[in-house]
Amino acid sequence: MRKRAAWLKKQPLCQDCMAEGVVNADDLEVDHVIPLFKGGKDNESNYRTRCSRHHKLKTAQDMGHVIRPEIGVDGWPIE
Ligand SMILES: [Zn+2]
């Protein structure tokens, strides 16, 4: 757990939200880029800060579910 706390100090925002141009520091979790059950490593090279919403999306994708958000006329997913 100490490794994760150290990581969150380096990456204190959801990195997926940042990729969408959103700053989000709420409900953060340390996720793995490659899931541990797929052989990913539990170290910083495989860590990514995600909010709980993005964590759920990524987990669903890792489990083989494809989530296709509806895209609005402005090009952004509809919640
Ligand atoms: Zn996010």
Side-chain angles (χ1 to χ4, degrees), residues 12-55:
L13 299 169
C14 172
Q15 293 176 271
D16 284 8
C17 283
M18 274 199 284
E20 296 172 356
V22 177
V23 174
N24 184 0
D26 296 327
D27 295 326
L28 296 179
E29 296 164 15
V30 178
D31 198 9
H32 296 97
V33 178
I34 301 166
L36 298 183
F37 73 87
K38 286 186 180 172
K41 300 259 191 301
D42 188 30
N43 64 36
E44 290 194 357
S45 69
N46 194 35
Y47 284 170
R48 187 167 172 99
T49 305
R50 286 194 170 95
C51 62
S52 58
R53 181 174 72 89
H54 275 122
H55 192 182

